[in-house]
Amino acid sequence: MTEKTFAFVVYPGLTTLDLVGPLQVLSGYAAGDPSVRVVVVGETRETIGTDSPLQIAPSHTFAEVPDPSWVLVPGGGGPTLRAMADGTLIGYLSRAAAGAELMTSVCTGSLLLGEAGLLEGREATTHWMFRDLLRAFGATPVARRWVEDGPVITAAGVSAGIDLALHLVDRLAGPDVARGVQFGIEYDPQPPHGPLDWDKAPREGLQSLREHALRDGLADAPELRKKLLAYA
Amino acid sequence: MTEKTFAFVVYPGLTTLDLVGPLQVLSGYAAGDPSVRVVVVGETRETIGTDSPLQIAPSHTFAEVPDPSWVLVPGGGGPTLRAMADGTLIGYLSRAAAGAELMTSVCTGSLLLGEAGLLEGREATTHWMFRDLLRAFGATPVARRWVEDGPVITAAGVSAGIDLALHLVDRLAGPDVARGVQFGIEYDPQPPHGPLDWDKAPREGLQSLREHALRDGLADAPELRKKLLAYA
């Protein structure tokens, strides 16, 4: 018997791993817990593009899942900024939040939660390159892997969604089950050059990527652009 | 000018993160290197299911990419074992290998490389639960995050594809570029309960999952089943 529905929200151009990291963890967990249903929701069930050559299609439409218990929205570059002006998407997040137990995001997905009015007065995080922009939504940016503030949990960039999702499994079913899922996806990370050394972050190189994302993504949304650029 | 084509192979029921982890890394890299083209190839361009509620569609067919430079094949559970009996898929891997510079796999994707005859006499790895089955293909199983033996690189389970892919970027463009991509995907892993403690691996619990995968995936392929079970 389904007691909780976990809706992963998709929109054109999203960053594929933002979505699939946590989706793998939660759908792996749900395979062993019939009370949890995992769905992928989009405006329609049509196939859409991502930031990679992979095309994806949701399992359900927004209209079919009006009252999810938990929601996760992935981020991306220019297309995610563009999605800030997508009234259907932002409306879904905003309406879902009214009844949901948890609203979560990965990477710049938090900008979409912000635009839906969910970050006002909260601590939040996002991809490290975009962190200061969270102030445009009344949020206090925090440099952590994920930030939990009441019913809103925001994760850092891209791969951070895997850690967030293991934390969600822990919350659902405790640490032993979360460790079991971690063994299932053999999540024993060994980056070839070790963990990131933040003193060596390529801030200037990636700055141009961010400017491009803001310019390209918000070309048709001058008000949003102004709002974000005030904090850039 | 495209000099290298990197083909990510898809088939029904694959484990989504096996594919998307390395796809995110390599397509992120390729965005800045016009000499590298990343494609997702399948038997047709039709949308197919995965092990999660997400549906996916490739960008190209096998026929459209007959001579990839590099190939990556993801793994999964029962559906991956079933794919061992898919002559079109195995034929594509086998023909691609004749001209490719590198053949790579994530998780039980190595069983598909094995069935294509590419692991004979080589060291290889796969998801930890399936590692001993590699002997069925004349390979020597190795417990490492990824194993490079000549033109064949096999990675461990699911999330190991991210580490493999960063190693591939390193190989293509050196450690500084690989670190740049790592910053791009903010790959600074912080599993909530720390790294895996292999002394506590849930071998018995997952044994039944493996048996189910073998039974379900190879129900229609008794010869393959016999070949694998001899090493299980």
Side-chain angles (χ1 to χ4, degrees):
Chain A
M1 191 187 60
T2 300
E3 290 169 10
K4 275 189 204 295
T5 295
F6 198 139
F8 286 76
V9 173
V10 300
Y11 55 88
L14 59 79
T15 288
T16 329
L17 185 54
D18 287 23
L19 170 72
V20 168
L23 179 63
Q24 191 71 54
V25 169
L26 268 303
S27 59
Y29 168 73
D33 180 352
S35 76
V36 172
R37 176 176 72 139
V38 174
V39 295
V40 178
V41 294
E43 185 173 347
T44 73
R45 290 203 198 181
E46 294 295 302
T47 298
I48 56 177
T50 67
D51 73 333
S52 81
L54 190 73
Q55 309 248 326
I56 59 172
S59 60
H60 294 75
T61 63
F62 293 154
E64 288 168 337
V65 187
D67 298 307
S69 323
W70 292 13
V71 173
L72 182 143
V73 62
T80 301
L81 295 166
R82 196 169 305 126
M84 287 175 63
D86 175 346
T88 305
L89 175 68
I90 299 299
Y92 180 72
L93 293 175
S94 169
R95 282 190 308 279
E101 185 191 331
L102 265 190
M103 297 295 290
T104 73
S105 63
V106 177
C107 197
T108 53
S110 54
L111 303 180
L112 300 173
L113 295 186
E115 188 59 20
L118 307 178
L119 298 187
E120 185 69 42
R122 295 193 195 281
E123 294 195 328
T125 197
T126 187
H127 190 286
W128 61 275
M129 263 202 302
F130 289 84
R131 215 182 287 134
D132 48 357
L133 300 186
L134 290 169
R135 295 192 193 281
F137 307 104
T140 304
V142 178
R144 273 207 303 275
R145 197 67 174 159
W146 72 83
V147 175
E148 186 159 350
D149 189 334
V152 179
I153 313 183
T154 50
V158 195
S159 62
I162 300 172
D163 297 325
L164 164 68
L166 287 169
H167 169 66
L168 295 178
V169 172
D170 192 346
R171 217 177 130 123
L172 272 169
D176 288 349
V177 175
R179 272 188 215 101
V181 174
Q182 187 178 349
F183 273 108
I185 63 164
E186 205 164 339
Y187 187 47
D188 196 18
Q190 295 172 36
H193 299 289
L196 292 174
D197 176 353
W198 288 101
D199 288 342
K200 295 184 179 158
R203 295 178 199 280
E204 293 185 13
L206 292 180
Q207 189 70 20
S208 69
L209 282 181
R210 164 173 147 165
E211 276 163 25
H212 177 266
L214 283 165
R215 203 167 45 236
D216 175 54
L218 298 175
D220 299 327
E223 287 303 311
L224 275 174
R225 198 169 159 192
K226 200 171 147 193
K227 173 168 149 181
L228 287 182
L229 285 177
Y231 294 88
Chain B
M1 192 186 58
T2 300
E3 290 167 10
K4 275 189 204 295
T5 295
F6 198 138
F8 286 76
V9 174
V10 300
Y11 55 89
L14 60 78
T15 287
T16 328
L17 185 54
D18 287 23
L19 170 72
V20 169
L23 179 64
Q24 191 72 54
V25 169
L26 268 302
S27 60
Y29 168 73
D33 180 351
S35 76
V36 171
R37 177 175 71 139
V38 174
V39 295
V40 178
V41 294
E43 185 174 345
T44 73
R45 290 202 197 183
E46 295 295 302
T47 298
I48 57 177
T50 66
D51 73 333
S52 81
L54 191 72
Q55 309 248 327
I56 60 172
S59 59
H60 293 76
T61 63
F62 293 154
E64 289 168 336
V65 187
D67 299 307
S69 323
W70 292 13
V71 173
L72 182 144
V73 62
T80 301
L81 295 165
R82 195 170 304 124
M84 287 175 63
D86 175 345
T88 305
L89 175 67
I90 299 299
Y92 180 71
L93 293 175
S94 168
R95 282 192 307 279
E101 186 190 330
L102 265 190
M103 298 295 290
T104 73
S105 63
V106 177
C107 197
T108 53
S110 55
L111 303 180
L112 299 173
L113 295 185
E115 188 59 20
L118 306 179
L119 297 186
E120 185 70 42
R122 296 193 195 279
E123 293 194 326
T125 197
T126 186
H127 191 286
W128 61 277
M129 264 204 300
F130 289 83
R131 215 182 287 134
D132 48 357
L133 300 185
L134 290 169
R135 296 192 193 281
F137 308 104
T140 303
V142 178
R144 274 208 301 275
R145 196 67 174 159
W146 72 84
V147 175
E148 186 159 351
D149 190 335
V152 179
I153 313 183
T154 50
V158 195
S159 63
I162 300 173
D163 297 325
L164 164 69
L166 287 169
H167 169 65
L168 295 178
V169 172
D170 192 345
R171 219 180 128 123
L172 271 169
D176 288 349
V177 175
R179 272 188 215 102
V181 174
Q182 187 178 349
F183 274 108
I185 63 164
E186 205 163 339
Y187 186 47
D188 197 17
Q190 295 172 35
H193 299 290
L196 292 174
D197 176 353
W198 287 102
D199 288 342
K200 295 183 179 158
R203 295 179 201 279
E204 294 185 12
L206 291 180
Q207 189 70 19
S208 70
L209 281 181
R210 164 172 146 163
E211 276 164 25
H212 177 266
L214 283 165
R215 202 167 48 236
D216 174 54
L218 298 175
D220 298 327
E223 287 302 313
L224 275 174
R225 198 171 160 190
K226 202 171 146 193
K227 174 168 149 181
L228 287 182
L229 285 177
Y231 294 90

